[in-house]
Structures are given as C-alpha cells and as structure tokens.
Amino acid sequence: MAKIRQTSRSLLGIVILLLALTPTAVAATLSTSRTSSGNLTIYSDALSAGWHDQSWNARVNYAETRQHAAGRASISVVMTSGWGGLDIRTDQQISGSTYGQLTFALKASRANQQYAVYLRDASGGNLTHPLSLANYGGQPVPNRWTTYTIPLNDLGAYGTSIGHVVLQDASGAPQPALYVDEIALTGHGQAPAATPSPTTTPTETPTPPPTPSPTATAASTPDPAPATDPSAPLASASGLIWSADSETGNLDQWTAGQYGEAAFNSGTGTVTPSTDVAHSGKTSLKLAISDANGTSQAARIFRWNDPEGNALPESAYYSVWYYFPQNYTPAEWWNVMQFKSRTSSSSVDPMWVLNVGNRANGNMYFYLWDAMHKQSHDATAALDLPVGQWVHIEIYFRRSTGSSGQITIWQDGTKLFDLDQIQTTTADNQQWSLSNYTDNIAPSNPVIYADDAVISRDWVP
C-alpha cells in the first residue's frame, strides 16, 4: 500500500510539472531557439539565446508591450540619424544553407517610412546590397502589421554563415518608431539557380541595390548585379563621410570642418535654407539666380572636406535629392552639379559637370560634360528630368590623374553614365558642388531645391 501511495505521488508530481510547463515556459527553458518545425527563432517576445543587440544611430527597446504582432511584446526602434540600423548579432555558427527564408513582421508609426534589409557574416561583412522592402510586399504601414518573407538566396546567405540580421533606414533621415516582431529563419535551404556570368567584371562597376526606378520603364530598370567593389551597402555609421539635411535652418552642415565658406555665389546667385519644399523634414536648400539672359549667374555650394577637416577620399558616393519646380530651357548650358580640383594656389577648375538640356519636345534631361577634354557624354538611358517631384542623383567618383578613374551616375536608381578607366582630375584633390549656374536660360530666374546630401564610402539609396 505504501508503494502505491508513493507511485501516485510521483505521477501527480509529473502531471503538475507538465501543467506548469506551458508552451511559453517550455520555450524559456530551451538553450536553443530551434523549434520543432525546424525554424530558428531570433525574436519572439524577447531575443533568443545567443542573439545580441549591435544597433547604431538607433534607440531600441526589445520589450515594447504596446504593440505586438503575436505574443505580448515586440521591438521598437527609432532611427535617431539617417542610415541608422537595427543590428541583431549572434554568437552561433548559423549556416545560410540550412534555411530558406528570413521572416519578420513590421508596423510603422507614420506613413512613408522606408527601410531595407540585409545580412552580415560573422566578421561583420555585408553579404549583399541592402534589399528595399518595397520589393518584398511594400514598405511598412501604420494601420496594420506586414509580414515579410525574404529568400535567403536573395540575401546572399547560401554557402556562408549568418552573423547579423540588419534592418536599416533607407530614407537618409531620422525616422519615428518602427515595430518589429516574430523574426525567424524558416524553411529549407536550396542552392540558388545558376545564372550567366556578367559581361563585366563585378569588381569594376559599382551597382545599386535591385530597386526599380519609379519613373523608369522596364527596359531601363537597373541591373540587379551582385555586390561590387567598392561594396555598396547603405551608408552606415562606418561608411558615412558627411551629410546635410538642412534642418538646422542655416549652412552650418556645409561649412563644418572646412576652411572659409561653402557657398560661392556669382552675380545674383543665392543659396539659402527654405521651407518651400523638402524631401525630408521641413527644410531644403534653395539655389536661386535671376537675370540670366546673357551674363553668368551662379548659386553654388561646395564640400571638399569631411567634418573633421580631412580631404575627401579617392573614391566615394555623392548623393543628393533635387527638385525642379518647373521646366527651364537653357540657351546653351546649365550646370547643376560639378566636380572641381584646385590646380594651383589660386585656381579651382571644373573637371566634370552634370548639365541639364532639353529634348525636341522641351522636356529636360541630364548630360555629362568632361571639362578637361571638352567632351560631352549622353546618357545610356533616355530618362527625362521630372518636374514638380524629387529626383535622386547619385554619383560614384574615383579620382585619378591618370587613366584609372571612374564616374558613374544614377537617376532614381537607373544608371545614366558609366565611364571607367578614365582620367577624372588634373590634381589629386577634389571639390563637389551643387549648382544653379548658367549664362542664359528661360525663364531667366531659375530656382531649384536640394536636400539630403550625402557623401559616403557606401551606396546611398
């Protein structure tokens, strides 16, 4: 009889233990985040064991209880500076060939928030360009949770190890709270399908992330080429050299770290902060001239140093958003961006100029002027310059007084010019200028706006 009682008590204890171990409790006792379905949980109410925060330019809360797609908590992340990132790092050796997808859920707190995702290996190297969420179901919205399923092959994970999962700002400006939940590696890995070898060496041509241009036709969609040299992740804390969003209401961001002024105007030219229009925030730069009907007028603002006073590097990406409020017709030339070099103590000469011209129907377009060799270059993609909307111009510039330079230019992600193994300067220094500069144009008082200027070692979306 005593043995029966003892056995009953043991069985009762087991039943109580099983009842106490709810699914949540069971999950909490596991030393690994691998689930019975074969998925690997990274975040669900809390970071799984072996995962740690390594975010930058971001304020992160891993226990946000007011918003959650499942369970009782989510991650809230506020990007405190442009190109900030939520970076979750693991101590484990995770094979990118084991799983098929990265899945997660997002909810924005404000409309038009923009993000991209990518993976890093254990040493912190990016596996691919960042992938815009616009290509995987759209950017997150504030009124509902959006679940994303991104193939690991797209993220370059097959055949290597995963060390970081990164969700990065893609707007170039601070962003309000984004809520992130239910991050996991799911499915089964499969070798990517073989693709034909590219016609050019991948290490020679910087290529943007495979984000279609909103204004381009299918024929002019940028090549979704692999990561190249120079590597092209979003501008990060390490890659960002300098940026200006004009939200200070003055030109201090442009003068920081430079000797003297940044604005060099001629005639009627002025460069001033303006709240007329803005790409982000409330303020942009207004470049205005008047009476350009036979005499040169110029509004120009320059960068030639980083904020610490160091000269600009041999190669970098130069990015800015422009707004043309109406159509203008230059009589001969209209300089809106240029690279110059100081060739003597008293002379700073133009090397390359991005000009605006007009097609037969009057629409504006970009063409490139090689000021050293007095040669004009037409774009390979026949894109018009939009009026009344922001347009993104990005230039990869590699300085060379010989024949190893490069200048590649994109408009809204579509490659317009790609000149490699060329001379790009006559002196080993450079200055970058945003300009509204011409001697004859109609109407004769053109105004353009510029915002969110960035110089970076990395591609800027």
Side-chain angles (χ1 to χ4, degrees), residues 28 91 100 204 240 259 314 385 387 457:
D91 297 330
E204 293 181 350
L240 185 65
Y259 54 85
E314 177 184 326
L385 181 55
V387 171
R457 294 179 180 85

Side-chain angles (χ1 to χ4, degrees), residues 134-189:
N135 293 340
Y136 295 90
Q139 294 291 347
V141 294
N143 59 345
R144 60 177 173 82
W145 285 89
T146 303
T147 299
Y148 297 88
T149 301
I150 301 180
L152 288 186
N153 286 347
D154 289 8
L155 291 161
Y158 194 88
T160 188
S161 62
I162 298 171
H164 301 244
V165 175
V166 181
L167 185 68
Q168 191 168 15
D169 162 62
S171 71
Q175 295 204 61
L178 173 73
Y179 304 103
V180 187
D181 205 355
E182 301 301 304
I183 310 172
L185 299 175
T186 63
H188 301 285

Side-chain angles (χ1 to χ4, degrees), residues 12-63:
L12 179 61
I14 291 171
V15 170
I16 292 172
L17 178 61
L18 290 173
L19 290 173
L21 289 175
T22 62
T24 301
V26 170
T29 63
L30 295 178
S31 60
T32 176
S33 56
R34 185 77 178 264
T35 66
S36 59
S37 64
N39 298 336
L40 184 74
T41 299
I42 298 172
Y43 179 92
S44 183
D45 285 343
L47 283 176
S48 295
W51 291 87
H52 312 281
D53 179 72
Q54 197 168 304
S55 302
W56 73 92
N57 290 348
R59 188 168 64 250
V60 182
N61 176 14
Y62 285 93

Side-chain angles (χ1 to χ4, degrees), residues 126-131 153-154 156 195-210 223-233 317 415:
N126 294 6
L127 299 185
T128 61
H129 299 328
L131 304 181
N153 286 347
D154 289 8
T195 55
S197 299
T199 56
T200 58
T201 304
T203 58
E204 293 181 350
T205 304
T207 308
D223 250 349
T228 58
D229 183 20
S231 60
Y317 290 84
K415 190 183 295 181

